[in-house]
Amino acid sequence: RVKLVEFGGGSVQAGGSLRLSCVLSGNTYSSFGGYCMEWFRQVPGKEREGVAAIDRQGVTIYSNDVRGRFTISKDNALNALHLQMNSLRPEDTAMYYCAATPDITGIASLPRERFFESWGQGTQVNVSS
């Protein structure tokens, strides 16, 4: 497993923007570019849901709820994953987690959380109306 640290969460009004980042360290099995990474989010009492994923080829997949508003990207030079969130809505309020695995070579849909062995501690996003 590798260590993942998220930051960039906070409070914003509806319509605003936030940029989440997740830095990966301790990767001895694969270079950062070899990881498939995903952002998940969770609200109390609900299951964690996938939001956006990016594979080692740079293919990106988004959930229906965020497509067109969120953008996932990787910075291989900095070992960083980003999530640019625009046009935020109150229903985007959640704890956001990044996850990584070197074992997924390509994606055609959002991978389920059980496929990821490395997780960050989460960063809270609050969107007020």
Side-chain angles (χ1 to χ4, degrees):
R1 295 181 180 181
V2 297
K3 181 178 180 180
L4 300 172
V5 178
E6 305 100 331
F7 54 94
S11 298
V12 65
Q13 288 190 326
S17 299
L18 283 173
R19 180 178 169 87
L20 305 184
S21 295
C22 170
V23 177
L24 182 152
S25 61
N27 48 315
T28 58
Y29 177 79
S30 174
S31 65
F32 178 77
Y35 281 83
C36 175
M37 301 186 74
E38 185 166 342
W39 287 99
F40 291 81
R41 65 186 182 187
Q42 188 173 27
V43 297
K46 292 190 176 181
E47 293 185 355
R48 191 153 47 185
E49 62 173 359
V51 173
I54 184 167
D55 69 13
R56 60 178 65 175
Q57 287 82 23
V59 173
T60 57
I61 302 288
Y62 298 91
S63 71
N64 291 335
D65 290 343
V66 308
R67 188 177 298 112
R69 300 187 297 123
F70 291 10
T71 302
I72 189 172
S73 62
K74 291 173 71 179
D75 186 333
N76 291 339
L78 297 178
N79 281 16
L81 175 74
H82 304 293
L83 185 68
Q84 179 66 43
M85 306 187 294
N86 298 329
S87 302
L88 282 162
R89 305 167 180 169
E91 52 264 40
D92 294 318
T93 294
M95 183 72 79
Y96 284 72
Y97 300 89
C98 68
T101 180
D103 299 330
I104 297 176
T105 57
I107 57 175
S109 61
L110 285 173
R112 295 182 182 276
E113 61 177 294
R114 63 186 174 91
F115 292 110
F116 295 91
E117 70 277 357
S118 298
W119 292 83
Q121 81 290 347
T123 186
Q124 180 68 36
V125 171
N126 296 311
V127 184
S128 58
S129 58

